[in-house]
Amino acid sequence: MTDDSRPRRPGAGPPWLRRARGGPASRWPWVSSLAIAVFQVAGSTLAGHRQPGRVELDTLGYALLLAGPALLLLRHRTPVAVAAGTSAVTLVYIALGYPYGPAFVSLVVAYFVAVDAGHRRAVIAIAAVAYAAHLVTGMWLYRWLPPAGDGPASWAEASGAGAWLLAILAGAELVRVRRERFVRERRERAEAERRRADEERLRIARELHDVLAHSISVINVQAGVALALIDDRPEQARVALTTIKQASKEALGEVRQVLGALRTPGDAPRSPAPGLDRLAELAEQAAGAGLAVEIAVDGTRFPLPPGVDLAAFRIVQEALTNIVRHSGSRTARVRIGYRPEGLLIAVDDDGPATATEETGGGNGLVGMRERAAALGGTVEAGPRPDGGFSVLVRLPHADKEGR
């Protein structure tokens, strides 16, 4: 709320708005107040030499010139009271016939600060009262006020004073609107940066999950094989250990590649991100875990954007990992279809599902759906009527940015 229709304690408002107002002027108001005091006194003194028809500045006149800057010391704590006080001081200064000049600077600053603090209606009311008092003084009370022999103010002068006040109020409102827009844009930029950082962390977490879940599943299966065969058939145990070594080496390389995104900006990755051209490697790794993978491609191949290619690879990888961990099937079928509407991926196994001690965190299917949704695609997964399990993925030609 930017108006004064409800009570507002000093410094109230959103934290981001309080920080925006907490500049040097609000931390050290005496510096600007002192500068305004010097400017008002020096400027009014010089202006008085060119206005012989006005009352010469005396002790009271200088006191009034200093009273406005003194009130400005409290402008960030009680902006409405300071706006009213500077209006009264300025009105008394003009009513007593002292020279025109920069005596209005305190009033202008007080109005700007009060409007910027959200007290627009209060400032308009104060300005209206001050203008009415100025009209009464210039049209009627001038007879009893200095300088002697002064006549009534003309309507042109009265209209000029009104236009001057309106210009001050309009300028204060413009400054408030621009300040709030600047703060809002800065807040939106900060939120966008945080959102991008969160998305990047999610992407890295998803990559790590896909890499580690697949490789560790292969390592876990082969470690069990090695333990079972190490005494009776050591040669086959050696093959299992070799598979463990290869899987762990590849997993380490991919983890390093994913974590490379956390390096300083500008560093290029040491190797390209994996894509569907590496499906044969996935099949070899799955074979090491005892899962035979049949890969079929239909349709005319077309180049895929890096984001879509990586997502397709990771989804197939995660689907095979789930089969290794949660299915008794020793055969999986992967079908890649290049369609006019996009890429179609189907991963099937014949089951049955197995109950294992480690079921994972249940993030496999969630990760697939998140990857597909980030690109505008879909994932359908569920048991087949014959007892197996099926994963059907549809991905568009391009990601959401059109790449």
Side-chain angles (χ1 to χ4, degrees):
M1 198 169 183
T2 59
D3 215 323
D4 61 342
S5 56
R6 61 181 174 84
R8 185 190 296 261
R9 67 181 185 278
W16 57 267
L17 188 55
R18 294 202 298 271
R19 288 195 297 270
R21 292 172 183 156
S26 61
R27 290 194 296 267
W28 302 295
W30 62 269
V31 176
S32 55
S33 298
L34 179 61
I36 293 171
V38 172
F39 181 69
Q40 286 194 167
V41 170
S44 298
T45 301
L46 293 175
H49 297 323
R50 299 181 178 87
Q51 302 177 40
R54 303 296 292 177
V55 176
E56 185 177 352
L57 282 170
D58 54 14
T59 302
L60 178 58
Y62 284 115
L64 291 173
L65 288 174
L66 293 174
L71 289 171
L72 290 180
L73 291 171
L74 304 175
R75 62 187 182 272
H76 296 291
R77 296 183 180 180
T78 56
V80 175
V82 171
T86 53
S87 297
V89 167
T90 304
L91 184 63
V92 171
Y93 177 89
I94 297 301
L96 293 179
Y98 290 116
Y100 297 109
F104 306 97
V105 174
S106 296
L107 181 144
V108 174
V109 172
Y111 280 14
F112 270 65
V113 171
V115 170
D116 185 58
H119 304 288
R120 179 175 62 249
R121 292 183 181 177
V123 174
I124 292 175
I126 292 170
V129 171
Y131 181 63
H134 176 69
L135 288 180
V136 171
T137 301
M139 298 295 186
W140 183 47
L141 296 179
Y142 71 92
R143 299 180 180 86
W144 299 279
L145 295 172
D150 195 12
S154 65
W155 284 109
E157 293 174 342
S159 300
W164 180 79
L165 275 176
L166 288 176
I168 292 176
L169 295 176
E173 180 66 13
L174 178 62
V175 169
R176 182 192 67 81
V177 171
R178 295 190 64 178
R179 169 75 68 85
E180 289 188 354
R181 184 175 64 182
F182 168 77
V183 173
R184 183 175 62 254
E185 290 175 352
R186 185 172 64 178
R187 180 183 58 180
E188 290 173 354
R189 286 195 298 269
E191 290 175 352
E193 291 175 1
R194 286 195 297 270
R195 188 163 54 250
R196 285 194 296 270
D198 291 341
E199 291 173 354
E200 182 65 12
R201 284 194 293 270
L202 178 61
R203 185 191 69 80
I204 293 173
R206 191 183 296 124
E207 286 288 310
L208 288 175
H209 171 270
D210 292 346
V211 171
L212 296 178
H214 176 78
S215 300
I216 291 178
S217 295
V218 172
I219 291 172
N220 181 62
V221 171
Q222 292 301 313
V225 171
L227 287 174
L229 300 178
I230 193 168
D231 292 327
D232 299 332
R233 286 178 282 180
E235 289 302 321
Q236 293 186 17
R238 183 185 299 275
V239 173
L241 291 175
T242 301
T243 302
I244 290 175
K245 180 180 178 180
Q246 293 174 345
S248 61
K249 180 180 179 180
E250 181 167 346
L252 182 60
E254 292 202 31
V255 168
R256 285 174 177 171
Q257 181 178 346
V258 172
L259 295 181
L262 301 178
R263 297 197 302 268
T264 56
D267 288 344
R270 295 173 182 171
S271 60
L276 293 179
D277 57 340
R278 291 179 56 183
L279 284 183
E281 297 180 22
L282 279 183
E284 291 179 5
Q285 293 177 359
L291 178 66
V293 179
E294 301 173 0
I295 300 176
V297 178
D298 62 300
T300 303
R301 289 177 179 266
F302 50 78
L304 295 172
V308 176
D309 201 17
L310 174 61
F313 176 85
R314 292 302 187 199
I315 289 173
V316 173
Q317 184 183 52
E318 181 61 34
L320 295 179
T321 299
N322 288 343
I323 294 173
V324 170
R325 298 172 66 182
H326 307 302
S327 174
S329 175
R330 294 299 86 196
T331 302
R333 292 177 296 279
V334 178
R335 187 175 76 256
I336 308 295
Y338 291 87
R339 302 286 186 266
E341 65 275 10
L343 188 68
L344 181 67
I345 302 173
V347 182
D348 297 278
D349 70 88
D350 297 327
T354 59
T356 58
E357 295 180 0
E358 297 181 11
T359 61
N363 294 323
L365 291 176
V366 173
M368 292 183 199
R369 291 191 174 98
E370 287 178 349
R371 281 188 179 276
L375 298 170
T378 60
V379 172
E380 299 175 13
R384 293 166 45 189
D386 58 2
F389 198 85
S390 176
V391 176
L392 183 64
V393 184
R394 293 181 177 87
L395 297 176
H397 289 294
D399 57 22
K400 287 187 175 181
E401 282 74 28
R403 296 175 300 208

